[in-house]
Amino acid sequence: MEIRTFEESDWPSAWPFMEQIIREGDTFCYDPLQTEAEAREMWLVPPPGHTVVAVEDRRVIGTSNMYPNRPGPGSHIAGGNFMVAPEARGRGVGRALGGYLLDWARGHGFAGVQFNAVAASNAPALKLYGHLGFAVIGTVPGAFRHPVLGPVGLHVMYHDLAPARG
């Protein structure tokens, strides 16, 4: 598997699995009814952000974006998202994309990485983020309307990138 910078020609391969994930409405705080154009504009972040794809046998099997989490005084903390094609799950794609995001953030001098809204019901993501070193630092009760479970919490997760002291 190769992780590389997103190219215009990657969108037609990434959009079908991204659309499926978005339309299911059970993991991301994205409007399940958004158009392809709206999703594309949201996902393909402008510099200083960065968007990548995971490719295997010339097939896009995952994608991630990364960026300053907030502007101005909050711009020293990175944020990001990643999606993995359903048929590629359980094969380390998410872990590789997460590792890439952390390396990108370190390399660009960010002090940490914050995920603003991780559905408490998204057990696979929570497990992966824990393995990558993220911790839940807060939960907004009932802030995510899961299509089957109803209101569930939204976690704020954080990974400190500051060098170890001592």
Side-chain angles (χ1 to χ4, degrees):
M1 174 181 46
E2 172 192 11
I3 297 177
R4 62 166 171 73
T5 299
F6 177 93
E7 299 171 358
E8 288 297 319
S9 60
D10 293 324
W11 185 256
S13 300
W15 173 239
F17 69 80
M18 292 178 67
E19 181 179 27
Q20 178 183 347
I21 292 165
I22 291 168
R23 302 276 184 250
E24 287 171 352
D26 62 352
T27 53
F28 280 87
C29 289
Y30 297 163
D31 181 356
L33 301 177
Q34 71 182 288
T35 67
E36 179 179 353
E38 290 168 332
R40 182 184 173 93
E41 183 178 342
M42 177 184 58
W43 194 260
L44 302 178
V45 296
H50 183 53
T51 306
V52 299
V53 289
V55 179
E56 185 176 76
D57 299 324
R58 297 186 304 195
R59 238 180 74 241
V60 175
I61 57 173
T63 181
S64 178
N65 60 20
M66 52 218 74
Y67 44 82
N69 191 289
R70 306 300 311 156
S75 64
H76 62 294
I77 303 298
N81 303 282
F82 39 102
M83 293 189 193
V84 175
E87 67 274 9
R89 292 183 185 153
R91 298 188 357 223
V93 179
R95 184 182 294 264
L97 288 168
Y100 185 100
L101 185 155
L102 291 170
D103 289 344
W104 176 87
R106 275 187 201 94
H108 285 79
F110 288 94
V113 178
Q114 178 179 323
F115 293 152
N116 299 328
V118 181
S121 55
N122 192 348
L126 292 170
K127 181 178 178 184
L128 171 62
Y129 301 158
H131 285 300
L132 290 171
F134 285 83
V136 173
I137 59 170
T139 303
V140 182
F144 184 78
R145 291 186 306 246
H146 191 281
V148 175
L149 303 174
V152 298
L154 269 181
H155 296 315
V156 176
M157 301 188 76
Y158 185 70
H159 189 298
D160 187 357
L161 295 178
R165 297 167 189 87

